[in-house]
Amino acid sequence: MNIEAALEEIGKAPTLESLQALKVQYLGKNGLVTQEMKTLGRLSPEERREKGRVLNEWKAALEKALEAREAQLREEALQARLLQESIDVSLPGYAFPSGGLHITSRIMQELVGIFRKQGFSVVEGPEVESEFFNFDAINMPDWHPARDMQDTFWVEFKNQPGFTIQGPFGEDVTGRGGAVLRTHTSGMQIRYMIQHTPPFRIVVPGRVFRYEQTDASHEAMFHQLEGLVVGPNITMADLKGAISELARGLFGEEGKARFQPTYFPFVEPGVQFAMWWPERQKWLELGGAGMVHPYLFKAVDDYRERQGLPRAYEGMTGWAFGMGVERLALLRYGIPDIRYFYQNRLSFLRQFRG
Ligand code: PHE
C-alpha cells in the first residue's frame, strides 16, 4: 500500500460520499490498513514492532486527512448554499402604493403655515351652520339684498326632531330658519368672538357650500380660509401688511398685495384683494377683506350679555379676510376646470401629490 498516494487521493476526494468510500477502503473492517495489521502476527518481534509503528502512523495520518477533507467539503457545501440562497438586492422590489395629500389639503396647509408663522391660531367650525351665524349676526338679515349674493343649501331636520345646532356654549341656535350648509367661513368670526376676548388673531380653514349651477369656475362645494384679527388699535394698514406677507409667503419676496374697494355687509370699508405673481407678471384676484363692521361687535357683545358674560368689544377694531383655496390652486397651476378637484380622477390628483 502506498500511503502518499492514499493521502493524496483523500485530499482530492470530490464529495462526502467518495470520501466515505475511501475511509472504508483504508480503515474499514476489510480495509487495506486493517488487512496489513492482520499480517503482523506472522512477523518476528522486531519486524512486528517496526511495522506496527508504521501502520499506526499511517492510520493516524489517514484519519487526520479524512477529517480535514471532510471539514473542507462541508465548508464548501455551506458556501455554495449561502451563495444560492442569498438575496439579490439588485432586483427590483415590490412597490407599495402610497397615498398622498389632496391638492386642496396641500394648498390649505401652505396657507395656514404662512399665518402660523405670524402668530395666528387655527380654529375650525361646523359645516352645518345656523342661519344666525352664517347670515344674521354678520349683518346679512333675511331682507338684505346681499343674501342674494350667496345661493344657499337650506337643510331641514324634518325626520330628526331632536336635532339642534349648538352655539359656542352648547346652547340651541337652530333658530327660526333652521340650518344652512355654510356659504362661507365668516360665521366663525362670530362664534370665535363670543367665546374669546381680544386681542387675538385666528385663521379658519373650512369647507363651504353654495347652491350653484356648476361650471368650469363654480363648484357647489369648495374651501375658504378666513382670517380675523381684533385688538385695541388694529387698522387697515395691518390688514394690508398681513395680505402682503401672504403674497410674499406664496410668491416670494417680490409678491405684493393690491386692494380695490368693494362691498361686503360684514366689513366697512370692504375690499377685494389681489396678489402679484412675479413669475407670471399677473394679478391674482383671491378674496375679500376689510375692517370688521361695528354691527358684528355689537351682535357679539349682545350675545355675550345674554350668556351672562361681560361685553368685550367696545373700543375694539379688527379686520377680516376670506379667500378661495381652490381658486388659488386653479390660477397657480393653470387648472382649466374647478370640477376636476372632486371627481376623484387619479390621473388628475396624482399630478399634485405631495
Ligand atoms: N365671506 C366672504 C365671501 O365668502 C369673504 C370675506 C370674508 C370678505 C371676510 C370680507 C371679509 O365671499
Side-chain angles (χ1 to χ4, degrees), residues 150 183-184 186 189 210 224 226 264 266-267 288-290 320-322:
Q150 298 186 351
T183 59
H184 50 192
S186 299
Q189 291 186 32
R210 296 202 188 161
Q224 290 188 331
E226 188 91 12
F264 296 99
F266 30 91
V267 286
F321 76 86

Side-chain angles (χ1 to χ4, degrees), residues 38-92:
K38 284 178 187 159
T39 65
L40 288 177
R42 284 181 257 131
L43 300 175
S44 68
E46 288 87 61
E47 281 176 325
R48 190 186 310 149
R49 198 179 316 121
E50 177 54 19
K51 189 155 185 191
R53 187 183 59 77
V54 171
L55 285 177
N56 276 328
E57 272 177 22
W58 285 8
K59 209 177 147 190
L62 288 166
E63 274 166 357
K64 206 173 132 199
L66 284 161
E67 232 168 80
R69 183 61 185 155
E70 183 178 337
Q72 218 172 24
L73 285 170
R74 286 199 191 282
E75 176 65 19
E76 276 170 20
L78 178 69
Q79 288 306 330
R81 220 180 95 197
L82 285 176
L83 212 63
Q84 200 185 28
E85 290 178 1
S86 68
I87 300 160
D88 184 350
V89 290
S90 68
L91 280 174

